[in-house]
Amino acid sequence: MSNMIQIDHLSKNFGKVKAVQDLSFRVKEGELFAFLGINGAGKSTTINIMCGQLSKDSGHILIDGHDLDKDIDFVKRELGVVFQSSVLDSALSVYDNLESRAALYGITGMEFKKRLAELAKILDFEDFVKRTVAKLSGGQRRRIDIARALFHMPKILILDEPTTGLDPQTRKTLWNVISNFRKDEKMTVFLTTHYMEEAAEADYIVIIDGGEISAKGTPLELKNTYTGDYITLYGVTEDMIKALGVTYEQIRNGYRLFVPNTRAATDLIVKHPQLFHDYEITKGKMDDVFLAVTGKTLIGGVEK
């Protein structure tokens, strides 16, 4: 797969604050790429530079093979961006917001109405196209934010904490839509999120801390490197667990054992088969990875 985003040695300072320091990474075509970090880690700075809204101090950025410095107009057409805070005009209707946005890309008349009908059906906002944005719920407004970003059919969709504050059903709906665009149109998705279950679905993850990359890899690679496995064991006594000589915690109906990797879990089971009648093995979660890498937990994007 070709690189849709290629960033080399990107740096940006705000006075004495080093917002981004020597950042380099690649995003492949059609990939769901997760860019993780607490607020202030450098995520939004990087996105704003990629979108041409902020100048960089040094480094090189290619978007779909085009140099950001030399072909900003091309780059802007390649990108669709859903920012953390909605950029819709609350005083205007959904229709008027999308019509003015489409006009910036030369999409007018019947072409506009056709694309509007497509997106309204996909994102399920046909019932409130004429409604004023100020009267929309948070979930409804988010659907329009995404429609706005998708109107000109970009190759790359940048989602900056797109589901923050949304109910689980709306989050699921939005992710189904995004997944379909990736599958049907090979759209590349660049995601920042503080929902680790969303990050766990990514093809590749970069964790940034203090403006620098702290870790990168597939979810499986990161879990294998930074977390262990968990064996949840049922129908045993605590004395039996203590005899195994591993770290454990008591949970409802059983015990959770901590082992360094799947091989260690297998060795334990083979050595003590009489104990392992009712059990399950799970890998560490992305929350565990993030904590191991940064020493911080990610709750609402804020360091805890």
Side-chain angles (χ1 to χ4, degrees):
M1 291 186 292
S2 59
N3 291 325
M4 288 301 289
I5 301 173
Q6 182 173 326
I7 293 183
D8 291 296
H9 307 295
L10 180 66
S11 294
K12 176 66 178 181
N13 299 329
F14 297 101
K16 294 181 179 180
V17 177
K18 296 180 178 180
V20 175
Q21 303 181 60
D22 198 31
L23 211 61
S24 297
F25 59 82
R26 307 284 186 270
V27 181
K28 302 288 186 183
E29 183 182 13
E31 194 169 58
L32 173 56
F33 178 95
F35 194 49
L36 307 182
I38 63 167
N39 288 345
K43 307 187 305 298
S44 293
T45 298
T46 303
I47 289 173
N48 286 332
I49 292 171
M50 286 166 52
C51 296
Q53 295 189 330
L54 188 65
S55 62
K56 55 184 169 57
D57 293 341
S58 60
H60 192 228
I61 298 177
L62 293 179
I63 304 293
D64 195 13
H66 289 248
D67 192 321
L68 177 67
D69 293 332
K70 299 176 181 178
D71 205 347
I72 185 64
D73 290 337
F74 174 88
V75 168
K76 287 183 175 181
R77 285 185 171 274
E78 294 286 276
L79 301 178
V81 188
V82 179
F83 294 100
Q84 284 185 43
S85 300
S86 178
V87 293
L88 300 171
D89 189 328
S90 296
L92 297 180
S93 68
V94 168
Y95 185 97
D96 290 341
N97 266 278
L98 295 178
E99 185 179 41
S100 61
R101 179 63 178 177
L104 295 176
Y105 294 93
I107 303 171
T108 59
M110 289 306 299
E111 185 184 2
F112 164 74
K113 291 181 179 179
K114 180 182 177 182
R115 183 62 172 162
L116 176 64
E118 290 172 357
L119 290 172
K121 184 175 182 180
I122 292 168
L123 285 160
D124 192 23
F125 63 86
E126 292 166 304
D127 292 341
F128 51 89
V129 168
K130 295 296 185 179
R131 193 178 303 171
T132 304
V133 167
K135 295 180 180 178
L136 302 182
S137 69
Q140 290 171 334
R141 186 180 291 230
R142 215 55 177 149
R143 289 183 223 171
I144 308 309
D145 282 321
I146 292 175
R148 179 183 181 277
L150 292 174
F151 220 95
H152 62 293
M153 292 180 279
K155 289 186 178 180
I156 301 168
L157 180 63
I158 297 178
L159 301 171
D160 195 3
E161 298 187 14
T163 59
T164 298
L166 301 185
D167 63 88
Q169 184 58 46
T170 302
R171 285 172 59 196
K172 183 178 180 181
T173 298
L174 293 182
W175 274 112
N176 285 341
V177 169
I178 292 162
S179 295
N180 287 336
F181 271 100
R182 288 184 59 219
K183 180 176 67 176
D184 298 338
E185 301 184 22
K186 293 185 179 180
M187 181 178 285
T188 304
V189 178
F190 185 102
L191 169 73
T192 79
T193 181
H194 63 257
Y195 292 114
M196 289 297 102
E197 68 270 26
E198 292 180 349
E201 298 299 317
D203 298 300
Y204 199 82
I205 295 171
V206 165
I207 298 176
I208 184 174
D209 191 29
E212 298 180 294
I213 292 177
S214 298
K216 57 184 177 180
T218 66
L220 180 60
E221 289 168 346
L222 291 173
K223 288 176 184 178
N224 283 340
T225 301
Y226 294 101
T227 72
D229 284 15
Y230 300 92
I231 310 174
T232 306
L233 195 54
Y234 307 99
V236 294
T237 66
E238 188 165 6
D239 286 339
M240 292 175 180
I241 296 297
K242 286 181 177 177
L244 294 175
V246 299
T247 303
Y248 71 93
E249 66 177 358
Q250 187 170 3
I251 60 170
R252 187 172 182 173
N253 300 329
Y255 297 88
R256 182 180 288 125
L257 285 57
F258 302 93
V259 291
N261 50 50
T262 306
R263 176 61 185 272
T266 304
D267 290 344
L268 198 63
I269 294 166
V270 170
K271 192 174 181 180
H272 304 276
Q274 72 281 5
L275 295 183
F276 291 88
H277 297 294
D278 189 4
Y279 67 93
E280 55 188 353
I281 302 175
T282 56
K283 288 197 172 293
K285 297 181 179 179
M286 282 307 303
D287 298 89
D288 303 314
V289 170
F290 194 88
L291 179 60
V293 170
T294 67
K296 304 153 190 169
T297 56
L298 198 59
I299 301 174
V302 180
E303 179 181 345
K304 297 292 182 181

